[in-house]
Amino acid sequence: MRAYSVRFASTYNYSAPARNSLHAARLMPVTSALQTVSSARLDVTPRPSSSSIRNDFFGNAVNWFRLDEPHDELILTMTANIKVSDPVTASAPRSTCGEIANKARSLPSLSADAPAHYLAETMFTRADPQLVEFARAHLSTDAPILTAAQSLCTALKEEVRYDPEATDVTTTAADAFAARAGVCQDFAHIFIAASCNSGVPARYVTGYLRTLPPPGQPKLEGADAMHAWVAVWAGTDVGWIEFDPTNGCIVADDHVRVAVGRDHRDTTPVSGHLLASGKQRHTVAVDVTEIRPEEPGSTVMRLPAAHTSD
């Protein structure tokens, strides 16, 4: 188990003052089977006229806030201390993809964690013939579920290029796969499209990555912004096993989970409505620093990495 200090900072600058804005933010990690949140808070500047926090259907923590006064800048700062466990994949079932598909269809549960919610395609995870062929090559009916999911994850890392300029928030899985390029959102959507087309439930996961890797290991793609990966349902005994197709790896203890859903729309970090005119500028910076037992007074190291869009 590793302990982390997490800091997420997002700033919106408006060319003309915005008024009467209402926002929903999914930025705070929640306690689950693989992680324990000791503290988490979201600070909003300017101070909201009203705010509340509640969990959505999938169990994600959603901060709602409203700003009634004109403002030309909005700053969101999320800070958290959290402990993350390394999943034990050795206990994964020997069930095949076909057996998992049958179990998922026959399970009557409609709880938030049930696989039934992740069997149908969405507008972003619809598979075209090219993606269907790709799915069949890696998720054959008689392939063990863990082996098949790892094969799909590795293949995506090898075949799809990480390119922040290749896609945008409206890009579908089929379009990103056809271009063989995209960002973590696209990698996750492609994986989910292939998996669901094979009858294997897969869901979209957002969160944060360790900023600096362990000695001798490469830095993961997406470590300086909010990241996305996937979770595959492996049966009632094991539950969900997570894969990071952007980095071609199974998720370990360097991923901090924030939200889950069917695609990126269920997990959007910040959404809302506002009355404004002109352009806006958005910057994001993320720090995930390991807190070592021998360094009880360690502080978060500020890194210069930031992503900006106009």
Side-chain angles (χ1 to χ4, degrees), residues 117-199:
H117 306 297
Y118 307 98
L119 287 172
E121 63 184 18
T122 71
M123 63 178 291
F124 287 100
T125 62
R126 187 172 297 121
D128 63 0
Q130 190 179 32
L131 243 176
V132 170
E133 182 179 353
F134 178 71
R136 289 173 178 170
H138 299 281
L139 299 174
S140 60
T141 303
D142 57 352
I145 182 62
L146 182 58
T147 302
Q150 286 178 320
S151 174
L152 178 61
C153 183
T154 301
L156 279 175
K157 172 63 175 176
E158 294 174 348
E159 293 199 24
V160 180
R161 183 180 77 260
Y162 184 85
D163 183 357
E165 304 299 324
T167 58
D168 59 32
V169 71
T170 66
T171 303
T172 66
D175 288 341
F177 186 68
R180 295 297 196 277
V183 294
C184 58
Q185 172 182 300
D186 304 300
F187 279 82
H189 282 164
I190 295 170
F191 189 112
I192 293 171
S195 186
C196 292
N197 182 264
S198 301

Side-chain angles (χ1 to χ4, degrees), residues 20-152:
N20 299 329
S21 63
L22 176 65
H23 302 273
R26 291 174 175 84
L27 297 172
M28 297 200 306
V30 294
T31 294
S32 65
L34 293 174
Q35 62 185 32
T36 302
V37 180
S38 56
S39 65
R41 61 178 292 168
L42 177 66
D43 293 310
V44 180
T45 304
R47 187 172 181 175
S49 304
S50 62
S51 63
S52 64
I53 180 172
R54 59 181 182 269
N55 290 351
D56 63 15
F57 173 78
F58 297 107
N60 308 317
V62 186
N63 291 83
W64 291 89
F65 59 94
R66 177 172 178 166
L67 301 171
D68 290 335
E69 298 296 326
H71 55 283
D72 56 16
E73 183 178 65
L74 172 63
I75 303 174
L76 307 178
T77 306
M78 194 288 301
T79 54
N81 287 322
I82 186 170
K83 292 182 178 179
V84 181
S85 300
D86 190 356
V88 181
T89 57
S91 61
R94 296 182 178 179
S95 299
T96 65
C97 291
E99 291 168 340
I100 290 297
N102 290 334
K103 291 177 183 178
R105 288 194 298 268
S106 62
L107 195 67
S109 174
L110 289 177
S111 67
D113 206 41
H117 306 297
Y118 307 98
L119 287 172
E121 63 184 18
T122 71
M123 63 178 291
F124 287 100
T125 62
R126 187 172 297 121
D128 63 0
Q130 190 179 32
L131 243 176
V132 170
E133 182 179 353
F134 178 71
R136 289 173 178 170
H138 299 281
L139 299 174
S140 60
T141 303
D142 57 352
I145 182 62
L146 182 58
T147 302
Q150 286 178 320
S151 174
L152 178 61

